[in-house]
């Protein structure tokens, strides 16, 4: 591991206790070594080295080098997230789900960190209930200095659901493609990078990340979004939703690469019903071209 610092004249190599680091991040040393071995790009980190009196090693990923991703490569740099969905099983009065601690940091902070490591530079975050608490937590986190974060506050009484909340952020996205991510799925930076740099065809308005290795699951949870692939068009999805009936080819993994055209489908659904889902908006007659990406 090469290190630099204000007290180091030149970069040097330092030892890192993988057992201690694995304990900090909540995985086995073997899993950590496997992850390092399969990393496709350099990850730059900051922290402090161990000494005999202070054996704890704290390192934290802060950025992927811009020379590897390129600041002007024309790829997606913006992500849209919403924490304005209806309360779920993990939400409580004491702590909303986005602020649940995971390794001493809120779940949402982990999500934002991985997006940043994958090359995202701007995040549009839609707030609802507990919005002030969530915003305060993020603004007090070091990530707030590394990402441009724009907040869309729908108010503490908002109950319109996840999909409608996304529509409220339309003016913040402009005319450029963006990543649509759930706020409780933590992605490896390499997946973020793959999704934001993929090429979508002219007739495709969105591409979803799909997990197809579902054979080992005894049963999918009721909240899992099922995906069925088209039998007639390559790399196309024929149906997506929680209850699609029939065969299931995979599950939607919580991240889409989208063109701004998806908002017109959202607007159409909103005109027809007070509550709608992203899946319902994905397959309207005018916007039925959705592709999938399978790592």
């Amino acid at each position: 591991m090469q290190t630099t610092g204000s007290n180091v004249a030149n970069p040097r190599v330092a030892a890192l206790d993988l057992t201690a680091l694995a304990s900090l991040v909540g995985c086995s040393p073997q899993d950590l070594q496997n992850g390092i071995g399969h990393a496709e790009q350099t990850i730059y980190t900051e922290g402090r080295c161990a000494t005999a009196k202070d054996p704890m090693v704290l390192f934290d990923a802060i950025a992927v080098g811009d020379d590897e991703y390129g600041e002007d490569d024309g790829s997606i740099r913006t992500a849209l997230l919403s924490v304005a969905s209806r309360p779920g099983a993990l939400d409580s009065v004491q702590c909303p789900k986005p602020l649940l601690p995971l390794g001493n940091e809120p779940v949402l902070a982990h999500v934002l960190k991985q997006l940043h490591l994958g090359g995202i530079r701007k995040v549009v975050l839609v707030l609802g209930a507990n919005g002030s608490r969530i915003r305060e937590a993020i603004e007090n986190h070091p990530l707030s200095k590394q990402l441009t974060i724009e907040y869309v506050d729908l108010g503490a009484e908002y109950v319109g659901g996840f999909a409608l909340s996304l529509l409220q952020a339309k003016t913040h996205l402009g005319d450029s493609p963006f990543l649509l991510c759930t706020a409780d799925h933590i992605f490896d930076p390499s997946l973020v990078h793959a999704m934001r740099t993929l090429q979508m065809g002219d007739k495709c308005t969105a591409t979803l990340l799909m997990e197809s290795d579902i054979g080992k699951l005894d049963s999918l949870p009721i909240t899992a979004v099922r995906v069925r692939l088209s039998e007639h068009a390559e790399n196309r999805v024929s149906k997506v939703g929680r209850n699609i009936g029939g065969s299931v080819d995979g599950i939607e993994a919580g991240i889409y690469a989208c063109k701004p055209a998806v908002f017109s489908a959202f607007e159409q659904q909103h005109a027809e019903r007070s509550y709608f889902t992203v899946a319902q908006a994905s397959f309207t007659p005018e916007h039925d071209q959705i592709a999938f990406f399978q790592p």
Side-chain angles (χ1 to χ4, degrees), residues 165-193:
S165 74
L166 299 173
L167 183 55
Q168 313 308 310
K170 176 182 177 180
T171 57
H172 291 258
L173 277 302
D175 298 324
S176 301
F178 59 94
L179 293 188
L180 169 58
C181 311
T182 52
D184 57 359
H185 287 53
I186 301 173
F187 304 99
D188 187 275
S190 63
L191 290 177
V192 176
H193 177 251

Side-chain angles (χ1 to χ4, degrees), residues 13 75 152 178 200 203 214-216 225 244 255-256 290:
V13 175
S75 59
V152 181
F178 59 94
M200 291 187 284
K203 296 182 179 180
I214 59 175
K216 297 179 181 179
V225 177
I244 61 176
I255 183 170
Y256 289 74
I290 182 168

